[in-house]
Amino acid sequence: MAAGTSFLRQCIATTTRTLVTAKSKHSSYHFSTFLLPLRTHSRRLTIRAGITNNEEVAAKAAASDADSGAPTIFDKIISKEIPSNIVYEDDKVLAFRDINPQAPVHVLIIPKLRDGLTELGKAEARHGEILGQLLYAAKIVAEKEGIVEGFRVVINSGASACQSVYHLHLHVLGGRQMKWPPG
Amino acid sequence: MAAGTSFLRQCIATTTRTLVTAKSKHSSYHFSTFLLPLRTHSRRLTIRAGITNNEEVAAKAAASDADSGAPTIFDKIISKEIPSNIVYEDDKVLAFRDINPQAPVHVLIIPKLRDGLTELGKAEARHGEILGQLLYAAKIVAEKEGIVEGFRVVINSGASACQSVYHLHLHVLGGRQMKWPPG
C-alpha cells in the first residue's frame, strides 16, 4: 500500500477528522489520510484527512458503500497496484501489515477472492472453507511474527464494530499485553 | 453454567482480585468469581473472587495449565453438567452467553470437540474445517441475536491476549458501538 494511505484507521474518535476529496488514483495521499472504498479508479476518491481520529464516523461513512459490491482498496493491494508489506501469502489469502498499527504487531488477513464476503455478517455456509483458511492463516502469521504465544484476532463486521473496508479482513494483533474489554 | 461463575472475566485490571480456593464442584460460587480450568472434579478448584477485575493476572494464572490438556469448565458446559444460556448449537459447535458480558450481546462459541485446540496458536491445518464452522457460527449467532448489522468477533490466544480458558473460544460482541483499538 502507498506509504501515505491510512485506510485502516478505525473506531473511536479522540479528535475531529476533515473530509478531503481527490480526483484520481495518482493523488499524493497525506500520510495520515483515510481511504474509503473506491468504486473505480476513475471516480473521485473520498479521503479522510487524518487531522483527527474519529473512527466511528469513518466506519459509518464507509458503510454507505457496504452493499454496493464496489471494489475496495484491498483489490489494489491484492493486484499489487498498491504496494503493501506482505507477511504471508498463498493462493487463497493475503496477509499484510496494517499501516496504522494498534500493537507492535498488527497484520491484516484477507481472502484474495472476496466472493460476496464484504463483511462477516454476509457469510454463507459455502464460505466455510475460506473462513477456516483465514483463521488458520492467523496462526501462521502469528508464528511468522514471533507472537504465537500471545495474540488476538479481531473481525469487525459493520459500522458499529468499526469496519471501514468492505472486504472481509481479520486483524491479528500482538507484541503487547492486550486489554479487556476488546474495544 | 452456574449463575455464579464468571469464568469469562479477562484482561486489564481496574481493581485488585482476591484468590480463593474451594474444594469441590459443589461449591457455591460467588456471582463474580472467576473459575480457572479444572483438572478433575476431585481436585481443588482455584477460584478468583471478583472483588476486583485484574484480568491480566487471571489470564496469566490460567496459562500455567494451558498445555496440560486438562479439562476446562467448557467441558462441563458441553456435557450440560453446568447449565449455560445456549444461543446456538449444532453437532460441532456450542454458543452460549458470557455471564460477564462486555456488551449488550456477548456470546462465546466453542468447538464441542477440543481436539488439541486449547488455543488458536495450537491450530494445525487439519483444524481448518472446524475453524470455518466456528467463524460461520459467529454469523449465525449474530443473526439470532439481532446484531448481524454490526458485531465484533474476538479470539484471544495466550496470556498476553487475555485467554483465560484453554479451550478455543470466539467472543461475539455487539449491541453497542465498539471502540478502537480493540483492547
Side-chain angles (χ1 to χ4, degrees), chain A residues 10-12 56 60 102 106 120-121 123-125 128 131-132 135-136 139 148-162 171 173 176-183, chain B residues 10-12 56 60 102 106 120-121 123-125 128 131-132 135-136 139 148-162 171 173 176-183:
Chain A
Q10 294 185 48
C11 277
I12 221 51
E56 287 179 32
K60 283 172 185 163
Q102 303 298 318
H106 188 168
L120 184 58
E124 300 174 12
L131 293 177
L135 213 42
Y136 181 59
K139 182 264 185 145
V148 75
E149 296 300 318
F151 63 100
R152 178 172 290 172
V153 174
V154 177
I155 304 171
N156 299 325
S157 187
S160 67
C162 305
H171 296 262
L173 303 109
R176 67 167 169 85
Q177 177 63 53
M178 303 303 292
K179 299 174 183 176
W180 202 252
Chain B
Q10 293 184 46
C11 277
I12 219 52
E56 287 179 33
K60 284 172 185 163
Q102 302 298 317
H106 187 168
L120 184 58
E124 300 174 13
L131 293 177
L135 214 42
Y136 181 59
K139 182 263 185 147
V148 75
E149 295 301 319
F151 63 99
R152 177 171 291 172
V153 174
V154 177
I155 304 171
N156 298 325
S157 187
S160 66
C162 306
H171 296 262
L173 303 109
R176 67 166 169 85
Q177 177 62 54
M178 303 303 293
K179 299 174 182 176
W180 202 251

Side-chain angles (χ1 to χ4, degrees), chain B residues 71-117:
Chain B
T72 76
I73 187 74
F74 290 170
D75 291 283
K76 290 175 183 279
I77 288 175
I78 292 166
S79 69
K80 312 288 169 74
E81 185 178 346
I82 293 178
S84 65
N85 196 331
I86 295 173
V87 172
Y88 172 75
E89 180 174 14
D90 62 28
D91 58 334
K92 298 292 177 62
V93 311
L94 181 68
F96 52 95
R97 294 191 198 289
D98 191 320
I99 62 169
N100 187 29
Q102 302 298 317
V105 174
H106 187 168
V107 173
L108 300 181
I109 305 175
I110 64 175
K112 287 186 171 178
L113 181 64
R114 186 167 63 171
D115 188 26
L117 281 174

Side-chain angles (χ1 to χ4, degrees), chain B residues 123-135:
Chain B
E124 300 174 13
R126 68 186 174 87
H127 291 121
E129 186 175 355
I130 185 63
L131 293 177
Q133 289 166 329
L134 288 164
L135 214 42

Side-chain angles (χ1 to χ4, degrees), chain A residues 71-180:
Chain A
T72 75
I73 188 75
F74 289 169
D75 291 282
K76 290 175 182 279
I77 289 175
I78 293 166
S79 69
K80 312 287 169 72
E81 185 179 346
I82 293 179
S84 65
N85 195 332
I86 294 173
V87 173
Y88 172 74
E89 180 175 13
D90 62 28
D91 59 335
K92 297 292 177 62
V93 310
L94 181 68
F96 52 96
R97 294 191 198 289
D98 191 319
I99 62 170
N100 188 28
Q102 303 298 318
V105 173
H106 188 168
V107 173
L108 299 182
I109 305 175
I110 63 175
K112 286 186 171 178
L113 181 64
R114 186 168 61 172
D115 187 25
L117 282 173
T118 49
E119 57 196 277
L120 184 58
K122 301 291 188 190
E124 300 174 12
R126 68 186 175 88
H127 291 121
E129 186 175 356
I130 185 64
L131 293 177
Q133 289 165 331
L134 289 164
L135 213 42
Y136 181 59
K139 182 264 185 145
I140 295 173
V141 165
E143 275 185 333
K144 287 183 175 290
E145 293 293 301
I147 57 167
V148 75
E149 296 300 318
F151 63 100
R152 178 172 290 172
V153 174
V154 177
I155 304 171
N156 299 325
S157 187
S160 67
C162 305
Q163 182 173 5
S164 57
V165 179
Y166 280 83
H167 182 133
L168 176 65
H169 51 287
L170 283 64
H171 296 262
V172 179
L173 303 109
R176 67 167 169 85
Q177 177 63 53
M178 303 303 292
K179 299 174 183 176
W180 202 252

